[in-house]
Amino acid sequence: MLLTEMAPPPGAQEVAGLRARVRTARRGALVALSASIALLATAQLLADRAATREHALPLAVLSLAVFAAALPALAITQYAWGARARLVRQRERELYAAARSGRAHPLTRLAVACGWAVTLLLGWTVPRFFREAAMYAFADALTWAVEALSVISVAAGVLFLLWWARDALGILARALRSGGSPGDPWDPGHGARPREGAALWTGAAVAVAALLGARAHLWEPATGVIYALLTAALVCGVVTDE
């Protein structure tokens, strides 16, 4: 009997469903991260180009609103992603005595942490836009809040780096001892799955990077180009099924 004609072992279909849920949660977390950075960068770019204080104030408010919404959105989506990933790794260990879904986690976690850092850095500049809009008292209050948040963020970043290094070394040590995961014939693995979404994610990443470059004054795109980049970042992330 061919392998493809054999019934899957007990639990294989459950693990396949859990892996699908992880991919869905990962997509949601990445969409939230890329959209947050793109929206923040765009709002701040437009605020920089505002001709008057009256025009700058709505954009400053928009920037603050996006930042305030981004923090819980990132926390919730990434918590859901992590919880589902832990569940599937636990089930894989029960069935196969090894977790196939944990190989790239150190690099993924580091990339997500960099996304958090970029989001926070953009958020820390929000008080300046209120000050330029002549909202001095509110800008001072925001500055105090941002300074408190920055201290918490730096402490969290140090703790993350220590935890990440320990976790990465642990994964490397386990891989060297076991020689790698034995695999699972009923799951073709990442290499055999369709990769149509890779081009869309690349487009979203390029658009977000271009907006960040403009925000850092590395180049000066026209306003229409900024809107086009924002649209590309949002559409590429939303329409991808990967």
Side-chain angles (χ1 to χ4, degrees), residues 120-195:
L120 290 171
L121 288 173
L122 290 173
W124 292 346
T125 64
V126 169
R128 177 174 68 84
F129 298 103
F130 284 94
R131 188 167 287 108
E132 292 175 353
M135 299 285 292
Y136 301 113
F138 189 67
D140 291 340
L142 275 182
T143 300
W144 180 88
V146 163
E147 289 175 353
L149 178 62
S150 65
V151 172
I152 297 173
S153 301
V154 170
V158 171
L159 292 176
F160 167 80
L161 288 175
L162 294 174
W163 169 79
W164 177 85
R166 186 197 66 177
D167 196 53
L169 291 175
I171 291 176
L172 179 61
R174 288 193 296 271
L176 292 176
R177 287 197 303 267
S178 64
S181 169
D184 167 11
W186 282 270
D187 178 52
H190 295 293
R193 292 195 184 103
R195 302 300 295 177

Side-chain angles (χ1 to χ4, degrees), residues 57-102:
L57 181 57
L59 293 168
V61 173
L62 175 61
S63 181
L64 177 60
V66 171
F67 181 59
L71 296 183
L74 296 183
I76 292 170
T77 55
Q78 291 174 21
Y79 175 81
W81 179 13
R84 292 181 181 183
R86 287 190 297 272
L87 181 61
V88 73
R89 289 199 301 272
Q90 177 183 352
R91 191 66 179 130
E92 285 173 341
R93 289 190 185 96
E94 294 172 355
L95 290 173
Y96 312 120
R100 293 189 71 247
S101 300

Side-chain angles (χ1 to χ4, degrees), residues 179-239:
S181 169
D184 167 11
W186 282 270
D187 178 52
H190 295 293
R193 292 195 184 103
R195 302 300 295 177
E196 292 86 356
L200 292 173
W201 280 123
T202 300
V206 169
V208 171
L211 288 170
L212 289 175
R215 178 66 185 86
H217 303 291
L218 299 178
W219 69 308
E220 298 293 335
T223 302
V225 175
I226 293 174
Y227 282 116
L229 290 171
L230 173 63
T231 302
L234 297 178
V235 171
C236 288
V238 170
V239 302

